[in-house]
Amino acid sequence: MAATVEGAARPVLVPVGEERAVPAPGPTRVHRWHRLAAVVVPLALLGLWHLLTAVTGTFAPYQLPSPAAVWAAGTELAADGTLWTHVAISTQRVLLGFAVGAAAGLAVGALVGLSRWADTLLAGTVGALRAVPSLAWVPLLILWIGINEDSKVTLIAIGAFFPVYTTVASALRHVDPHLVEVGRAYGYRGVGLLARVQLPAVTPAVAAGLRLALAQSWLFLVAAELIASSMGLGFLLTDSQNNGRVDRILLAILALAVLGKATDGLLGVAERRLAKRW
């Protein structure tokens, strides 16, 4: 006797008593179209930009330079290494600030999410500080820390702190209590319970908070590089504005967009691997 296995392109006869794995379906045409559609909007915007500047002249070069002019500006800065120095310094600041702010947000968020006393004492104050704009911290950081690298990293860390804190605290408040009881039955307490049971249970929320924090870190970068910077993409923005180099302003904006998307993609890969592990 034989049985049929459904789900393939055509029925497959399998002898009764034997098991046969059904091959997993490969990438469908819909998935391929989705990947293709992801590049349609950027290419359409690039084409519209070229049309409005280099073809029709709707915008003057001092208002909106053409893509070719921005490319030329980037090539000029890349040739002498200036562009790569700006990119490297800004990326280093963002990653350092993100690491410090995310770690602090994870710690405080776990404390507030797990302790009612900590929630009562800290939640209102932290919520009020979250509403303070990034530029409002600049004068205080200059006064307290100075105009060195530490003040810039600290400002970025402040930006990264709040998204992680908010998502972790909120998620931990809603962990299934039965899951916590099972963890305690296995002997987990305190940090062990947090690391082995509660954090894995809220992995999607933590990952979302980290991605928001990384995006916030890039947003705070420009404000951080207003603190007496001589290098970095934020400095390139302000220096180009002072010199009337709109092509370099657009170059800096595009560089920030590409770097932000690239680092978010790397964090997304780490998120998927962590989800498989937990």
Side-chain angles (χ1 to χ4, degrees):
M1 295 180 66
T4 60
V5 176
E6 298 181 354
R10 61 179 61 182
V12 179
L13 294 177
V14 180
V16 174
E18 296 185 10
E19 294 182 357
R20 179 179 299 178
V22 179
T28 64
R29 182 175 299 179
V30 174
H31 293 158
R32 289 194 293 268
W33 276 109
H34 284 174
R35 289 195 291 267
L36 180 62
V39 301
V40 169
V41 172
L43 290 177
L45 290 175
L46 183 62
L48 180 63
W49 179 9
H50 175 74
L51 178 67
L52 294 176
T53 54
V55 178
T56 64
T58 303
F59 293 96
Y62 65 87
Q63 293 176 314
L64 181 65
S66 66
V70 175
W71 177 265
T75 304
E76 178 186 353
L77 290 178
D80 61 8
T82 304
L83 178 61
W84 310 124
T85 303
H86 287 313
V87 168
I89 289 176
S90 290
T91 303
Q92 175 181 292
R93 288 168 177 164
V94 165
L95 294 181
L96 284 174
F98 168 72
V100 173
L106 182 62
V108 179
L111 182 63
V112 171
L114 298 175
S115 170
R116 291 186 177 181
W117 281 106
D119 186 17
T120 302
L121 291 172
L122 298 176
T125 302
V126 176
L129 292 175
R130 184 176 55 190
V132 177
S134 59
L135 289 176
W137 294 103
V138 172
L140 280 179
L141 291 176
I142 293 176
L143 179 64
W144 291 345
I145 305 177
I147 59 174
N148 53 24
E149 198 70 13
D150 292 342
S151 59
K152 301 173 181 62
V153 174
T154 301
L155 182 59
I156 296 171
I158 291 172
F161 170 84
F162 292 106
V164 177
Y165 159 79
T166 303
T167 53
V168 170
S170 177
L172 286 175
R173 291 190 191 104
H174 298 90
V175 173
D176 187 353
H178 299 293
L179 188 63
V180 176
E181 289 301 323
V182 171
R184 287 175 177 162
Y186 277 93
Y188 294 122
R189 295 289 186 278
V191 177
L193 182 66
L194 175 65
R196 295 298 186 90
V197 178
Q198 291 164 311
L199 279 182
V202 298
T203 296
V206 173
L210 290 173
R211 296 181 79 164
L212 287 172
L214 185 58
Q216 190 87 333
S217 298
W218 285 106
L219 293 176
F220 271 59
L221 171 71
V222 176
E225 291 182 339
L226 292 176
I227 307 176
S229 293
S230 57
M231 295 300 295
L233 292 173
F235 166 77
L236 180 61
L237 274 170
T238 55
D239 183 66
S240 301
Q241 178 188 11
N242 294 333
N243 294 322
R245 293 296 302 267
V246 186
D247 52 351
R248 292 187 177 182
I249 292 176
L250 290 173
L251 174 66
I253 292 173
L254 290 174
L256 288 169
V258 170
L259 289 170
K261 179 60 180 176
T263 51
D264 180 74
L266 292 175
L267 198 57
V269 172
E271 174 190 352
R272 288 190 291 273
R273 290 186 177 180
L274 190 61
K276 289 179 181 179
R277 180 180 177 182
W278 278 349

